Amino acid sequence: MTAEEIFNEVLKSPELVKIFNIPKEEIENLDYKNFSEYKVIEIIKAIIRGDENKSDKNAIFKVIQNQIMQL
Amino acid sequence: MATIIKSISFQDFYNYYGSFEYNTYKFKEGINIVNADNNMGKSKFYNGILWLLRDIVYDSDFKRMESASSSYIKMASGKAKCEKTSFLMAVRIIFQTENVEYIVTKSIPFQLIDNNWKTKNEILDVIETQDGKTIPILDISAKEEVIKKIIPTELINYALLQGESMEKLVDLSSRLGLSSTIEALADISNLITICSVSSELTKKSKSLLNSQEKDFSDNKGKVVELIEEKVKIENYVDQSIDKIDEYKRELSEAKNKKEELEALQLNAKKRERFREIQERLNYEIKNLTIKKNDKERNITSNLFLGNTPWLLMGLQEEITRFDEHRQSLNEEKAKQHISKNPTILLPEGSPDVPSLKRMLNKEICEVCGREAMKDSHAWKHIEKIMNRPQKEYNGDKNNFSQFYSNIQTTIGSFYLSIPGIGERINEYRSEIDLIQEEINKKILEYEDAKFEFINAGGGSTHSDKDILYSYSLAEDKEKETKKLIEKTQNQISIWKVRLSQIDIELSSSSKNDIVNDYREFRDTMCAVEMILANTKDRIFDNIIKSLESNANQKYTDLTLGNSTSGGRLSFTKQEDNTVQVSIKDILNGEMTGLGTGFQRMKQLSIVMAIISSKIGNNQFNYPFISDAPFSEFGDNFINNFFKVAPNVFSQSIILIKELYDPQETNLLNSLGKKILSEMIDGKINGTFYVNVMKEAADSTNLVTINKCYKY
């Protein structure tokens, strides 16, 4: 599966609505390439992208921690 | 874009004697058939591909795969070894993928030194042609990459099939069997990696939170204590989850075993009935065979039978001739005798039947020379003498001299019995034929009973007592593992409650915003881990559903028109996430022991379904090459395969003998003619070759040539 196909499959998860309160309509408009305001979506993208680019786990973690969560 | 093999050529390779020019098969998209009788090069052809792609060959003597390097001498043409002192054994595949053409040639030089064949190092030549430019590839790893373009390593087990190995095509017995196949072919391996990475990142976020909580706590001693307890419990939970996975695996195994044994138990009565029928039929066949053998042995005795020796069949005219000779001899003798002694003394048994018959026809008594008009007293007297009882022949059957002497003296009795010999032989032959027919009928009944017996689970090495014992063990194991899973899950729930309590205690101990951010980070990472894992499971479940439906469609298509129901393929995800495929009947009961043809069709249907279920790509992009895939299939299965295969494989190369008929001038049976005609009419796309032997030779000197019927 391509990274984009995986991302589109993840967007079908009911947990995004239930846990993160992301409205269904917004989920439908989400895109793998464009930035999302939702941190969880960006974290998911970072992990998928990390696999796509064969990045080191620590590097992926740093991206999530520093850039997405801004910690 | 699909990989298409454009040609396969051989040079001094097994039966393929001579250069590439004489041993080339040109192929195209669709179905490519190489039809050949036994020993006409099918498996040798397949071995050429195996050598080039996998560096192995199938040794039919030992019925196992061997490394090519240990089989070079066997692989070389027998005729080349007889006639030459040096030659190059080689296989060449020309294929095209993504508008690039590759010529891959593997060869090995042979040289005769001191009456021993020596080989040099194997040579691999790869040439690439793109946009009219031809470039030789020199780097060994680049050459190997090109070979992988023909069929990638991970798909080779599905794309390169030998009839005998087809039952093991998708390993349904191993733990990961089909699930790993689904993962590979549905291409979700990267999602699996993503899940694993996510899990590790969650652990990292947990650990990071722990250190932040320690750093920003108001009550360090208490916080450290709580964190240590938390880490400890989290380790327990992780270990318990691993344990549950192990229990689930055991549970899944126990369930499968139980289901398998259940089917065997259910059929125990049926097995018993068919076991008895087999025994009875076996006894009857044995007795009939003895009876037939006795009858056949008696043919020799009948050749020399007393009154009617079969040996004399068709010799009636000879008796007349013999009688004429004898008559003239007797007349001559009589004349001589009368001239010396007018009193006639006839020998015992005289006059003989032919003489008497002649006298009746001529209406004259040859003994006294008087007239004997028809129906007169004299005529009736002659007739009475002719019909007098004949003396029985009591000679020794093995004494030919006596036998032939007696033929002369008892010729009269043979004269009457010879015309009936033919009829008697026919009757005797009919009796033997009838016994043979009866034997054939019983053999068919026996085969049917055996089939039913095997269908009912017979033929296994286990007795019904063993089955019961194993069933009870599997049942106990199932109960035991279920309890263990429940117990461990309860324990995990308790631990999780405690973990939540610790979390609350820790959050109240350190209300720092930074710590709260790390807590949010950890919570989000936990949720992401769960979302990704659920996504993977959902995709997997959907694939299983689609695979089941697709495989059943293929299975129905492949078994269409068959008189026996092949059942329905059922794909079930087990507790341990493995996938079990079974064949269910209309009542959803397990069907066991279906014939080899059905089992192979089941495997083929699963592979076809897997291949055509590939996300975003409904065509198998690599050639499907199979040696003797139909050796256990009937015409119906074969016919169905040719209808279904083009929808699944872009190109298939099928080495087959089931379309061969040596009695026909074009060497094709009716099914072969039908398929060829459909190819010529354009209903089936592909090529059609028939292998023939150049001339009769022993196995070391065979030369196969091919006839192209359709390209």
Side-chain angles (χ1 to χ4, degrees):
Chain A
M1 284 175 85
T2 65
E4 206 161 341
E5 282 168 346
I6 293 174
F7 178 70
N8 291 335
E9 281 296 329
V10 175
L11 292 184
K12 292 175 190 165
S13 306
E15 292 87 355
L16 293 173
V17 180
K18 277 186 209 163
I19 303 174
F20 296 97
N21 299 316
I22 310 175
K24 271 188 179 177
E25 309 78 59
E26 282 194 47
I27 293 175
E28 281 166 17
N29 293 325
L30 288 171
D31 189 294
Y32 182 59
K33 284 169 191 150
N34 296 326
F35 177 77
S36 164
E37 294 294 332
Y38 294 99
K39 284 180 181 171
V40 63
I41 299 294
E42 286 307 304
I43 291 174
I44 290 166
K45 279 189 204 168
I47 300 173
I48 297 173
R49 236 175 242 136
D51 176 72
E52 193 183 12
N53 301 328
K54 311 247 179 294
S55 306
D56 173 66
K57 269 171 253 167
N58 292 325
I60 303 171
F61 191 76
K62 282 279 170 215
V63 169
I64 297 171
Q65 185 188 351
N66 302 337
Q67 293 174 20
I68 303 169
M69 298 304 291
Q70 294 180 339
L71 293 170
Chain B
M1 180 172 272
T3 295
I4 299 295
I5 293 180
K6 295 176 80 179
S7 71
I8 299 181
S9 313
F10 307 97
Q11 181 173 289
D12 288 334
F13 182 73
Y14 288 108
N15 296 3
Y16 299 98
Y17 170 74
S19 65
F20 286 140
E21 189 191 339
Y22 301 103
N23 298 294
T24 292
Y25 295 77
K26 286 183 183 173
F27 297 128
K28 54 162 94 166
E29 274 188 55
I31 292 176
N32 299 275
I33 296 169
V34 177
N35 184 34
D37 206 355
N38 287 334
N39 220 13
M40 286 198 187
K42 286 190 305 298
S43 297
K44 273 87 180 177
F45 186 112
Y46 187 75
N47 268 349
I49 299 164
L50 279 180
W51 179 32
L52 205 143
L53 296 184
R54 298 183 60 191
D55 272 321
I56 54 170
V57 285
Y58 182 74
D59 192 318
S60 50
D61 293 339
F62 298 109
K63 296 208 176 303
R64 64 174 184 231
M65 292 293 178
E66 296 282 352
S67 75
S69 56
S70 66
S71 309
Y72 287 150
I73 297 291
K74 273 191 182 180
M75 288 155 66
S77 155
K79 196 170 168 67
K81 284 186 282 186
C82 281
E83 294 180 356
K84 302 178 185 179
T85 53
S86 69
F87 61 92
L88 191 71
M89 175 181 84
V91 174
R92 171 176 290 166
I93 294 184
I94 301 179
F95 71 98
Q96 189 169 13
T97 182
E98 291 162 354
N99 292 325
V100 184
E101 185 178 281
Y102 295 94
I103 302 173
V104 182
T105 311
K106 199 174 249 188
S107 55
I108 185 109
F110 275 74
Q111 195 156 18
L112 191 64
I113 300 169
D114 298 332
N115 271 335
N116 283 316
W117 282 104
K118 303 280 179 198
T119 56
K120 291 183 185 166
N121 288 339
E122 201 175 84
I123 306 160
L124 178 64
D125 288 315
V126 179
I127 297 169
E128 180 187 301
T129 306
Q130 189 176 10
D131 301 327
K133 286 180 193 165
T134 298
I135 314 156
I137 294 175
L138 304 172
D139 178 63
I140 186 70
S141 56
K143 286 179 182 180
E144 280 164 5
E145 283 307 310
V146 170
I147 290 179
K148 282 183 192 163
K149 284 177 194 276
I150 304 174
I151 301 168
T153 317
E154 65 270 23
L155 292 178
I156 216 156
N157 286 339
Y158 304 100
L160 209 56
L161 299 182
Q162 199 155 29
E164 286 165 14
S165 63
M166 210 185 265
E167 280 104 284
K168 298 174 207 150
L169 193 58
V170 179
D171 186 1
L172 300 172
S173 59
S174 81
R175 193 170 96 78
L176 292 173
L178 188 54
S179 55
S180 58
T181 304
I182 292 171
E183 285 166 10
L185 287 163
D187 203 12
I188 55 169
S189 56
N190 47 352
L191 181 54
I192 293 166
T193 315
I194 286 168
C195 289
S196 147
V197 169
S198 167
S199 170
E200 285 184 46
L201 298 181
T202 305
K203 276 182 191 156
K204 265 177 164 306
S205 69
K206 283 179 182 174
S207 159
L208 199 58
L209 172 63
N210 290 345
S211 61
Q212 294 298 325
E213 279 171 335
K214 274 183 205 167
D215 290 349
F216 291 96
S217 71
D218 301 331
N219 183 351
K220 273 210 183 349
K222 174 74 180 161
V223 167
V224 168
E225 202 179 296
L226 283 170
I227 289 173
E228 277 173 3
E229 190 188 349
K230 184 168 76 169
V231 171
K232 208 163 137 187
I233 293 174
E234 277 173 348
N235 282 338
Y236 287 155
V237 171
D238 285 346
Q239 283 167 15
S240 299
I241 288 171
D242 288 346
K243 265 189 194 171
I244 287 178
D245 284 345
E246 181 64 20
Y247 295 147
K248 281 183 176 172
R249 188 185 63 77
E250 286 175 19
L251 175 63
S252 174
E253 275 176 9
K255 273 187 169 179
N256 288 341
K257 185 81 189 162
K258 207 180 117 187
E259 204 169 304
E260 187 187 309
L261 294 166
E262 224 161 41
L264 285 175
Q265 259 188 318
L266 281 172
N267 287 324
K269 272 190 180 172
K270 206 174 168 189
R271 275 201 304 280
E272 198 46 46
R273 187 156 65 88
F274 286 107
R275 187 182 283 121
E276 277 172 18
I277 294 175
Q278 281 183 92
E279 280 168 6
R280 175 178 58 78
L281 287 167
N282 218 356
Y283 176 76
E284 287 175 4
I285 291 168
K286 202 174 156 190
N287 281 345
L288 284 167
T289 309
I290 292 171
K291 198 175 164 187
K292 187 186 158 228
N293 289 345
D294 284 348
K295 279 247 170 215
E296 283 172 344
R297 262 198 299 273
N298 282 340
I299 290 173
T300 317
S301 315
N302 284 327
L303 286 175
F304 302 100
L305 198 69
N307 285 331
T308 50
W310 291 2
L311 200 65
L312 299 184
M313 188 177 79
L315 296 180
Q316 200 175 2
E317 294 305 315
E318 294 303 312
I319 291 176
T320 313
R321 230 154 45 82
F322 174 78
D323 181 54
E324 282 165 7
H325 284 303
R326 200 182 55 151
Q327 193 192 344
S328 61
L329 180 72
N330 280 348
E331 277 173 5
E332 191 59 36
K333 272 185 178 175
K335 277 178 195 166
Q336 286 173 10
H337 188 74
I338 289 165
S339 64
K340 288 177 193 166
N341 183 5
T343 311
I344 298 166
L345 288 173
L346 295 173
E348 190 192 341
S350 298
D352 55 58
V353 175
S355 306
L356 289 162
K357 200 172 180 189
R358 194 176 57 247
M359 287 184 219
L360 289 172
N361 288 339
K362 288 184 178 174
E363 296 179 356
I364 189 161
C365 173
E366 293 177 3
V367 176
C368 61
R370 283 180 291 182
E371 274 192 344
M373 298 301 286
K374 194 171 181 184
D375 294 331
S376 66
H377 177 75
W379 193 90
K380 282 180 181 166
H381 183 71
I382 295 167
E383 188 186 41
K384 192 177 161 190
I385 293 167
M386 188 179 79
N387 291 331
R388 71 190 182 272
Q390 297 296 321
K391 198 178 175 186
E392 275 293 317
Y393 167 73
N394 290 320
D396 179 356
K397 285 175 190 169
N398 294 327
N399 186 341
F400 288 168
S401 161
Q402 191 185 343
F403 172 76
Y404 288 112
S405 316
N406 282 333
I407 286 179
Q408 289 188 6
T409 55
T410 57
I411 193 77
S413 65
F414 295 138
Y415 191 86
L416 292 176
S417 61
I418 283 175
I421 290 177
E423 199 182 330
R424 224 157 294 146
I425 289 175
N426 278 339
E427 277 170 18
Y428 200 85
R429 185 186 287 159
S430 300
E431 283 169 25
I432 293 176
D433 287 347
L434 274 176
I435 298 172
Q436 186 57 52
E437 259 176 47
E438 189 71 3
I439 292 172
N440 292 345
K441 204 175 126 198
K442 299 273 177 204
I443 287 172
L444 282 178
E445 283 176 35
Y446 179 85
E447 289 301 322
D448 284 346
K450 192 177 162 191
F451 180 74
E452 293 292 341
F453 177 69
I454 291 169
N455 266 358
S460 87
T461 47
H462 303 292
S463 70
D464 285 346
K465 204 174 163 186
D466 288 342
I467 291 165
L468 279 172
Y469 179 66
S470 305
Y471 181 81
S472 131
L473 282 181
E475 206 173 32
D476 289 348
K477 185 78 184 170
E478 186 188 357
K479 281 180 196 160
E480 187 195 329
T481 43
K482 269 184 181 169
K483 269 186 199 165
L484 283 168
I485 291 169
E486 205 183 323
K487 195 177 153 193
T488 318
Q489 277 169 340
N490 287 340
Q491 183 59 57
I492 290 175
S493 304
I494 294 166
W495 282 329
K496 282 192 170 168
V497 170
R498 178 60 194 143
L499 283 173
S500 304
Q501 286 168 349
I502 294 173
D503 229 26
I504 295 165
E505 284 177 50
L506 283 170
S507 59
S508 59
S509 303
S510 48
K511 290 191 173 164
N512 184 296
D513 284 347
I514 298 172
V515 177
N516 282 340
D517 287 346
Y518 277 97
R519 193 165 286 123
E520 188 203 336
F521 178 29
R522 181 211 52 190
D523 291 345
T524 311
M525 291 307 289
C526 285
V528 167
E529 184 188 351
M530 181 184 68
I531 287 171
L532 289 170
N534 288 348
T535 303
K536 183 195 77 180
D537 288 348
R538 199 175 57 244
I539 293 174
F540 196 89
D541 291 347
N542 287 340
I543 289 174
I544 293 174
K545 269 188 210 159
S546 120
L547 202 57
E548 186 181 67
S549 142
N550 199 347
N552 271 305
Q553 184 56 54
K554 300 281 181 295
Y555 191 59
T556 309
D557 291 346
L558 289 172
T559 55
L560 193 74
N562 216 64
S563 53
T564 319
S565 164
R568 179 182 60 81
L569 298 175
S570 167
F571 288 60
T572 321
K573 191 174 170 186
Q574 308 289 292
E575 278 82 358
D576 61 348
N577 286 333
T578 57
V579 180
Q580 183 68 33
V581 181
S582 51
I583 304 182
K584 304 274 187 189
D585 58 24
I586 45 167
L587 299 170
N588 220 27
E590 181 107 2
M591 282 175 87
T592 55
L594 283 168
T596 316
F598 271 110
Q599 296 298 348
R600 287 190 185 175
M601 277 294 166
K602 176 174 112 177
Q603 295 284 348
L604 210 51
S605 309
I606 296 169
V607 169
M608 282 181 163
I610 289 168
I611 288 163
S612 56
S613 292
K614 219 178 161 192
I615 294 171
N617 186 354
N618 286 329
Q619 275 260 301
F620 189 46
N621 275 339
Y622 302 96
F624 173 80
I625 305 168
S626 189
D627 175 26
F630 308 131
S631 56
E632 297 287 339
F633 293 0
D635 280 6
N636 193 45
F637 278 145
I638 300 172
N639 220 3
N640 291 340
F641 175 84
F642 286 121
K643 281 183 190 154
V644 180
N647 302 326
V648 182
F649 310 115
S650 308
Q651 182 185 43
S652 46
I653 298 171
I654 309 292
L655 309 162
I656 182 174
K657 72 166 181 184
E658 282 71 20
L659 307 179
Y660 197 88
D661 185 349
Q663 306 302 323
E664 292 291 324
T665 44
N666 64 356
L667 303 169
L668 295 181
N669 62 16
S670 55
L671 184 61
K673 285 175 191 164
K674 181 176 169 271
I675 288 165
L676 177 63
S677 137
E678 286 181 12
M679 272 193 177
I680 291 168
D681 293 346
K683 288 177 192 159
I684 299 176
N685 189 29
T687 65
F688 201 118
Y689 287 86
V690 176
N691 275 6
V692 289
M693 299 312 295
K694 201 169 181 184
E695 57 194 34
D698 65 29
S699 59
T700 56
N701 209 17
L702 291 175
V703 177
T704 293
I705 51 169
N706 69 63
K707 286 184 174 180
C708 181
Y709 285 181
K710 164 75 175 63
Y711 176 74

